[in-house]
């Protein structure tokens, strides 16, 4: 179990307003393909050269990344989203461990750092072993920590991090999904060991259902037949119920713990908040039935930033061991979950979205040059879905 956790953890770290809107070839690594347009040698990207607040974000011209491995692709970004991880990394979150992992993986130095994780765009060039993607394909995905982020005109990715974009979604809509989808999938499926077959009839609590991860998790679990309970603020209740939540507990006007206890015991808790939420959530789980508590807010990066690499790893490990043992005394399972690239899952999710089983939830859309304002909005909290930045004007969205 410990080995499996370390393998998941390593992969995860390496890859790790109130209106809602429900080419060329290279001889070494490229392969012959038609051109959509000449690929420039430089691009615009939002970069930081030191950690801090919004004033460290700089829109600069930088060299376009080059394909150096046969499984890589260059994608022209049409839209990207802003996630809480972007805000945190701008301020230095993960600075003790992520640069070291980037170095081990052959990535670039710590700075300049291009922000952004998920994107939607068009394939411009492929490596010679890329079989499932062609120049001109519309794709969506997440960038890994070893390469630059998606708040740029182009991204370099591998086939593990990308899938064909759902045909029914615009680039703007599609860009709002991959990071939260892969985070929710990791929590529910990879670490939580839930599946469509197992979810049927299960009672599952999703904390903060109006946020990006929560709004996606509600829809996925309802599609699989689960009974979904969520927490949110008063003005988010219409949104979460429209997504399928069976019960919505208002943390502003209700006693959350008392209301959740009235509903009954839970087969799974998905915690997107962390902090004191864990303390009472474990008590809400069914006992001696392998009920799962899964948090997407682990102390790992926070502890390594605060105490240094080795002491931080020890502190985080102790925290997990303590919580795991506590759960075992009641027949419960405790997990950390991390966003992980999974092109198979992303393909499955795309098919579900084309069938309208899951809908994108977008809070607000900004233009590329308004990215600092988008950061400010996400940092303020109270999200109702995702904040998206259009790198290329989405004409399909205008037609809709």
């Amino acid at each position: 179990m410990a080995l499996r956790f370390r393998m998941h953890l390593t992969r995860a770290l390496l890859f790790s307003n109130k209106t809602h809107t429900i080419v060329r070839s290279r001889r070494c690594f490229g392969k012959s393909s038609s051109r959509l347009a000449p690929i420039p040698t430089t691009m615009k990207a939002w970069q930081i050269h030191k950690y801090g607040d919004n004033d460290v974000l700089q829109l600069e011209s930088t060299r376009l990344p080059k394909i150096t491995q046969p499984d890589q692709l260059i994608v022209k970004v049409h839209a990207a989203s802003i996630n809480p991880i972007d805000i945190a990394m701008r301020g230095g979150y993960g600075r003790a461990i992520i640069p070291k992992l980037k170095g081990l993986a052959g990535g670039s130095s710590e700075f300049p750092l291009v922000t952004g994780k998920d994107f939607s765009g068009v394939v411009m060039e492929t490596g010679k072993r890329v079989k499932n993607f062609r120049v001109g394909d519309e794709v969506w995905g997440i960038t890994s920590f070893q390469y630059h982020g998606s708040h740029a005109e182009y991204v370099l990715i591998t086939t593990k991090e990308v899938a064909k974009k759902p045909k029914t979604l615009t680039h703007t809509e599609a860009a709002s999904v991959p990071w939260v989808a892969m985070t929710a999938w990791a929590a529910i499926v990879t670490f939580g060991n839930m599946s469509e077959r197992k979810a049927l009839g299960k009672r599952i609590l999703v904390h903060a259902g109006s946020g990006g991860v929560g709004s996606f998790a509600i829809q996925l679990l309802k599609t699989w037949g689960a009974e979904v309970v969520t927490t949110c603020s008063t003005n988010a209740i219409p949104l979460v119920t429209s997504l399928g939540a069976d019960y919505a507990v208002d943390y502003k006007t209700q006693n959350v713990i008392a209301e959740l206890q009235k509903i009954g015991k839970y087969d799974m808790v998905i915690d997107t908040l962390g902090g004191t939420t864990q303390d009472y959530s474990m008590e809400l789980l069914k006992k001696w039935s392998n009920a799962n508590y899964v948090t997407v807010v682990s102390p790992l990066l926070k502890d390594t930033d605060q105490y240094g690499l080795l002491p931080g790893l020890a502190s985080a490990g102790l925290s997990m061991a303590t919580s795991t043992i506590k759960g075992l005394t009641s027949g419960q399972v405790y997990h950390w979950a991390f966003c992980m690239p999974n092109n198979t899952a992303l393909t499955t999710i795309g098919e579900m979205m084309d069938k309208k089983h899951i809908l994108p939830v977008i809070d607000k859309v900004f233009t590329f040059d308004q990215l600092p304002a988008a950061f400010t909005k996400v940092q303020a909290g109270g999200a109702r879905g995702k904040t998206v930045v259009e790198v290329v004007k989405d004409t399909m969205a205008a037609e809709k």
Side-chain angles (χ1 to χ4, degrees):
M1 177 179 179
L3 176 60
R4 179 173 175 266
F5 168 74
R6 287 195 295 270
M7 291 173 65
H8 281 313
L9 179 58
T10 301
R11 286 183 60 203
L13 287 172
L14 283 172
F15 294 102
S16 351
N17 3 137
K18 305 297 178 188
T19 302
H20 314 288
T21 307
I22 319 260
V23 185
R24 62 189 170 181
S25 65
R26 294 194 180 174
R27 297 195 179 193
C28 292
F29 297 101
K31 65 182 181 182
S32 180
S33 57
S34 59
R35 295 182 181 184
L36 288 182
I39 301 179
T41 58
T42 62
M43 65 176 184
K44 293 289 187 181
W46 284 96
Q47 301 187 131
I48 67 171
H49 297 270
K50 62 179 180 178
Y51 299 119
D53 294 322
N54 263 5
D55 57 357
V56 302
L57 291 166
Q58 301 293 322
L59 181 58
E60 299 173 328
S61 179
T62 186
R63 291 190 63 82
L64 199 80
K66 295 181 180 180
I67 289 178
T68 59
Q69 300 295 327
D71 65 341
Q72 292 175 333
L73 306 89
I74 291 178
V75 174
K76 180 177 177 62
V77 178
H78 281 235
S81 77
I82 314 295
N83 295 284
I85 186 70
D86 300 316
I87 310 298
M89 289 185 67
R90 181 204 63 191
Y93 180 68
R95 63 187 179 274
I97 192 169
I98 290 177
K100 292 179 174 61
L101 293 172
K102 287 172 66 177
L104 290 173
S108 60
S109 59
E110 185 173 9
F111 296 115
L113 185 155
V114 179
T115 58
K117 302 315 299 176
D118 44 9
F119 65 89
S120 180
V122 176
V123 175
M124 301 298 290
E125 185 178 350
T126 62
K128 66 179 181 180
R129 292 184 187 170
V130 176
K131 306 298 182 183
N132 297 326
F133 302 97
R134 295 182 177 181
V135 170
D137 284 349
E138 295 188 330
V139 296
W140 63 344
I142 59 176
T143 62
S144 66
F145 286 113
Q146 70 194 95
Y147 301 126
H148 72 70
S150 62
H151 297 156
E153 293 179 318
Y154 295 86
V155 291
L156 175 69
I157 54 170
T158 70
T159 54
K160 295 178 182 178
E161 302 149 14
V162 68
K164 298 286 182 64
K165 177 182 77 67
K167 296 178 181 179
T168 58
L169 299 187
T170 67
H171 285 296
T172 301
E173 292 168 337
S176 71
V177 176
W179 180 263
V180 296
M182 292 299 91
T183 302
W185 189 275
I188 296 167
V189 181
T190 308
F191 293 93
N193 196 33
M194 189 62 68
S195 65
E196 183 173 5
R197 178 180 59 83
K198 294 178 181 177
L200 183 62
K202 294 291 194 300
R203 180 181 293 132
I204 300 175
L205 170 61
V206 178
H207 283 293
S210 64
V213 176
S215 61
F216 182 89
I218 289 172
Q219 295 184 83
L220 177 64
L221 291 166
K222 283 306 298 179
T223 299
W224 285 353
E227 178 186 31
V228 180
V229 181
T230 192
T231 59
C232 63
S233 64
T234 309
N235 58 13
I237 290 177
L239 171 63
V240 298
T241 54
S242 72
L243 296 177
D246 297 285
Y247 299 93
V249 177
D250 184 350
Y251 67 79
K252 287 194 172 182
T253 63
Q254 295 178 292
N255 182 319
V256 172
I257 299 175
E259 293 299 319
L260 291 175
Q261 288 174 335
K262 287 179 184 178
I263 296 169
K265 292 293 186 178
Y266 299 83
D267 297 285
M268 173 180 276
V269 174
I270 304 298
D271 186 359
T272 68
L273 296 172
T276 58
T277 307
Q278 174 179 322
D279 298 334
Y280 69 81
S281 293
M282 294 286 288
E283 297 299 321
L284 296 170
L285 287 172
K286 294 177 179 178
K287 295 185 177 181
W288 303 109
S289 61
N290 289 321
N292 280 272
Y293 168 87
V294 189
T295 179
V296 299
V297 190
S298 87
L300 180 66
L301 296 184
K302 177 180 69 68
D303 283 1
T304 54
D305 289 341
Q306 182 175 352
Y307 303 120
L309 183 58
L310 294 180
L313 289 172
S315 173
L318 178 61
S319 174
M320 183 174 190
T322 301
S323 297
T324 299
I325 293 170
K326 179 181 178 181
L328 290 174
T329 60
S330 299
Q332 302 163 339
V333 184
Y334 176 89
H335 293 288
W336 293 345
F338 306 88
C339 181
M340 302 172 66
N342 186 334
N343 57 357
T344 301
L346 203 52
T347 298
T348 299
I349 290 164
E351 293 169 353
M352 296 174 75
M353 299 196 82
D354 274 337
K355 294 176 182 178
K356 305 301 182 184
H357 293 164
I358 299 176
L359 302 175
V361 182
I362 296 177
D363 197 348
K364 190 168 182 178
V365 179
F366 292 82
T367 60
F368 191 45
D369 61 347
Q370 293 175 324
L371 182 132
F375 267 61
T376 298
K377 185 188 184 309
V378 174
Q379 189 170 2
R384 303 292 178 263
K386 292 296 293 295
T387 296
V388 179
V389 170
E390 284 187 342
V391 182
V392 176
K393 181 63 178 177
D394 201 333
T395 57
M396 184 178 171
E399 291 172 1
K400 279 191 171 184

